[in-house]
């Protein structure tokens, strides 16, 4: 039963946070610092998620050459302005090839 109370509290907190964002005055949202923060936070969170997925396994730090090569292929495809599906396919193919050749 405690788990359900925790879930209900989290739902209420998320709703309150969303409501606070919607109730914020326009002048606060248009402030240069707030708008710059709103632009950079998603990028930082995505980069952190990628780093955690790339360099951890089973709760510990681990370097995987295949995943790193796949990330490198994705970065190169992004720099070449490839479509999203091409970026995903390039990363998957390079990761698979490195896994095949390195055993």
């Amino acid at each position: 039963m405690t788990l359900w109370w925790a879930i209900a509290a989290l739902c209420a907190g998320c709703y309150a946070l969303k409501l606070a964002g919607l109730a914020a005055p326009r002048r606060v949202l248009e402030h240069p610092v707030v708008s710059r923060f709103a632009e950079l936070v998603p990028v930082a969170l995505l980069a952190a998620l990628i780093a955690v997925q790339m360099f951890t396994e089973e709760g510990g730090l681990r370097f995987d050459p295949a995943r790193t090569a796949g990330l490198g292929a994705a970065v190169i495809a992004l720099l070449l302005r490839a479509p999203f599906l091409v970026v995903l396919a390039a990363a998957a193919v390079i990761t698979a090839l490195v896994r095949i050749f390195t055993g």
Side-chain angles (χ1 to χ4, degrees):
M1 190 64 179
T2 306
L3 177 64
W4 286 109
W5 283 111
I7 291 171
L10 280 170
C11 289
C14 288
Y15 182 76
L17 188 61
K18 181 74 170 177
L19 188 61
L22 292 173
R26 177 67 65 191
R27 63 181 168 77
V28 171
L29 298 176
E30 291 175 350
H31 192 273
V33 173
V34 174
S35 66
R36 183 72 174 152
F37 179 78
E39 289 174 3
L40 294 178
V41 165
V43 174
L45 289 174
L46 184 58
L49 177 63
I50 290 170
V52 167
Q53 291 295 316
M54 280 290 303
F55 301 114
T56 62
E57 188 173 303
E58 297 176 4
L61 217 56
R62 182 166 182 263
F63 178 76
D64 183 7
R67 280 193 247 174
T68 306
L71 179 64
V75 168
I76 290 170
L78 285 171
L79 290 174
L80 295 173
R81 301 201 184 272
F84 183 67
L85 289 177
V86 174
V87 173
L88 289 178
V93 167
I94 295 299
T95 301
L97 288 173
V98 171
R99 286 203 194 282
I100 288 170
F101 289 122
T102 60

